[in-house]
Amino acid sequence: RTSESGPMRVTVTEPDGSPVSATVTINRQVVGTTDADGHLWTIQPAGGFRVNATAAEGSVVVTGP
């Protein structure tokens, strides 16, 4: 969790903690792909938002405040 409109780290991992290469969208806009450690840094949108991470294994959605 970060402050509104501040930097936000998205982390995508398997249940065992292994990093996953995933395409990340925020509010339906692609913001990038996770790195070798499963991380992606971006700017947190103001207000509510929806983060979707999609990989070959499937996808996951998280909503923010």
Side-chain angles (χ1 to χ4, degrees):
R1 179 145 170 84
T2 60
S3 61
E4 189 170 309
S5 297
M8 176 174 73
R9 183 174 78 177
V10 177
T11 302
V12 184
T13 60
E14 293 287 351
D16 67 1
S18 302
V20 173
S21 176
T23 299
V24 178
T25 62
I26 298 179
N27 295 338
R28 299 183 184 185
Q29 292 189 319
V30 175
V31 294
T33 303
T34 56
D35 63 17
D37 294 324
H39 303 298
L40 170 77
W41 282 96
T42 188
I43 301 298
Q44 180 173 316
F49 58 91
R50 177 183 167 126
V51 178
N52 186 341
T54 304
E57 298 85 352
S59 64
V60 64
V61 176
V62 178
T63 57

